[in-house]
Amino acid sequence: MNKRVYFSHDGGVDDLVSLFLLLQMNVNLLGVSVVDADSYVAPATEASRKIVDRFGHDKNLTISVSTARGVHPFPKEWRLTTFQQNALPILNESGTIRTPIATQPAHLDLLQHLQTAAEPVTLLFTGPLTDLARVLEMEPQISAKIEKLIWMGGTFLENGNVAEPDSDGTQEWNAFWDPAAVATVFASPIKIDLVSLESTNNVPLTAAIRQHWATYRRFSGFDFLGNSYALVPELRQFATNSTYYLWDVLTTCYFYQPDLVKTKKVLCKVNTTAPSDGRLYQDANGREVTLAYDVNSTKFFKLLDYLAAKAE
Ligand code: AGV
Ligand code: CA
């Protein structure tokens, strides 16, 4: 298996862990871009470069930086974890960064990778869709170069994961950050796989998984997982707005091993009017997406172990 993939992430703990995991997979990772959404983009970019240096098995990659800014910014408390993750000693042992920053901003970097690709490329997005929407607006026919989009975003559940005064609580955050971008991408002919809250709600961060990573901390991949997830709260007595799930990590593992989840086809639209902007809803006249709605968590955690053990 050697899938060709371009990865766009937004610097959260599970975004950066996703980059770490992608680097352990037997795939052709063409490019990586970072968005200033669930992070601050400068430390998120530095951390990405250091992860490629430390865990990239000498892959040559450049990291591009997005100029996009959200309609509804993420809470500062969540964005701050990027500074801590970027400061982890395991990423800073050498004291220098080798992996370069791309000369072009993220949307142009993505466009160039697609234009020069000999075969269609899979897009893996674990943050908002702004840069893809920009590319589609600039060059609509570029969708022919996109094998499919795998996106961590959205939900059809009654309750999303946004708790903000200008929201009705129905949205998932990556969709809420830039609802118009979701509408632009949905209006394109691209094939879309959604890893939404339906499936990610089944994989919360727990004390048991923390303990598992701690037990194996003598291996650098597990140490990186344990230290990264030490920055965010696990599920305790009940789910709160801050409870962390393995959202992006499930999405990245689904890209590698699609049989981890159950999927179904859904016809849908996105709302772009406040206070429901960013809400997905089923509609017989909507566009088709493949929705992951359940996950085999035993298989999922087995793949995580396999990948973490491959790191050196
Ligand atoms: O909505 C999930 C998305 C994922 O891409 N992000 C976190 C993941 O990177 C936003 C988010 C929702 N709830 C959060 C989030 C929380 N409690 N902490 C940090 N980020
Ligand atoms: Ca994310």
Side-chain angles (χ1 to χ4, degrees):
M1 176 163 55
N2 222 338
K3 301 187 190 185
R4 308 152 58 77
V5 58
Y6 186 99
F7 180 42
S8 166
H9 74 77
D10 69 335
V13 165
D14 62 339
D15 294 88
L16 291 167
V17 168
S18 294
L19 174 59
F20 159 78
L21 294 170
L22 268 176
L23 292 165
Q24 314 316 315
M25 293 175 182
N26 183 20
V27 297
N28 189 356
L29 179 57
L30 302 173
V32 176
S33 65
V34 188
V35 192
D36 189 275
D38 199 5
S39 67
Y40 289 85
V41 78
T45 303
E46 273 188 26
S48 302
R49 296 164 67 205
K50 293 173 188 174
I51 288 167
V52 174
D53 285 353
R54 178 64 183 77
F55 293 113
H57 305 279
D58 295 319
K59 273 193 195 84
N60 282 320
L61 273 170
T62 60
I63 310 291
S64 69
V65 183
S66 177
T67 56
R69 294 298 179 270
V71 179
H72 301 287
F74 274 93
K76 182 180 178 179
E77 293 71 20
W78 298 351
R79 297 177 67 198
L80 282 170
T81 55
T82 322
F83 286 96
Q84 298 159 291
Q85 203 168 4
N86 184 39
L88 289 178
I90 197 167
L91 297 182
N92 289 281
E93 209 171 345
S94 80
T96 52
I97 310 183
R98 284 177 285 123
T99 296
I101 298 179
T103 49
Q104 308 198 85
H107 63 295
L108 298 180
D109 182 71
L110 170 58
L111 179 60
Q112 194 182 14
H113 272 98
L114 292 172
Q115 280 169 337
T116 55
E119 289 160 48
V121 174
T122 296
L123 303 183
L124 176 63
F125 274 58
T126 58
L129 295 178
T130 316
D131 285 311
L132 176 55
R134 286 174 165 183
V135 165
L136 291 168
E137 273 161 4
M138 286 173 69
E139 199 91 41
Q141 66 282 20
I142 204 71
S143 54
K145 288 291 196 74
I146 299 170
E147 173 83 33
K148 67 157 93 164
L149 165 68
I150 299 176
W151 183 41
M152 191 288 123
T155 185
F156 298 98
L157 300 172
E158 221 169 292
N159 297 313
N161 62 10
V162 173
E164 292 287 313
D166 57 351
S167 153
D168 62 4
T170 58
Q171 304 94 330
E172 180 283 328
W173 258 106
N174 290 337
F176 184 60
W177 197 78
D178 188 352
V182 182
T184 302
V185 172
F186 276 16
S188 78
I190 303 173
K191 209 170 159 277
I192 301 179
D193 291 2
L194 288 182
V195 179
S196 311
L197 302 183
E198 280 77 349
S199 56
T200 62
N201 279 346
N202 296 324
V203 285
L205 179 64
T206 61
I209 188 66
R210 280 196 197 291
Q211 185 54 51
H212 178 71
W213 293 331
T215 306
Y216 289 97
R217 71 174 285 274
R218 65 185 178 280
F219 302 105
S220 57
F222 288 91
D223 196 39
F224 177 67
L225 281 179
N227 279 298
S228 294
Y229 278 104
L231 306 174
V232 289
E234 78 273 21
L235 177 65
R236 291 209 160 210
Q237 278 75 9
F238 57 91
T240 73
N241 182 237
S242 295
T243 304
Y244 218 86
Y245 295 79
L246 275 66
W247 301 279
D248 300 350
V249 166
L250 175 60
T251 309
T252 303
C253 287
Y254 163 70
F255 155 70
Y256 196 54
Q257 199 181 313
D259 72 353
L260 293 178
V261 302
K262 285 188 198 154
T263 62
K264 61 183 177 193
K265 306 276 186 207
V266 171
L267 297 174
C268 66
K269 290 186 175 171
V270 60
N271 187 310
T272 51
T273 312
S276 303
D277 47 338
R279 178 185 195 166
L280 305 191
Y281 59 97
Q282 300 206 35
D283 187 306
N285 299 315
R287 74 114 63 215
E288 184 181 287
V289 299
T290 300
L291 174 73
Y293 66 92
D294 196 11
V295 45
N296 181 330
S297 38
T298 309
K299 260 194 194 171
F300 168 58
F301 285 109
K302 212 173 143 191
L303 176 60
L304 259 187
D305 278 357
Y306 167 77
L307 293 169
K310 280 179 76 176
E312 283 155 21

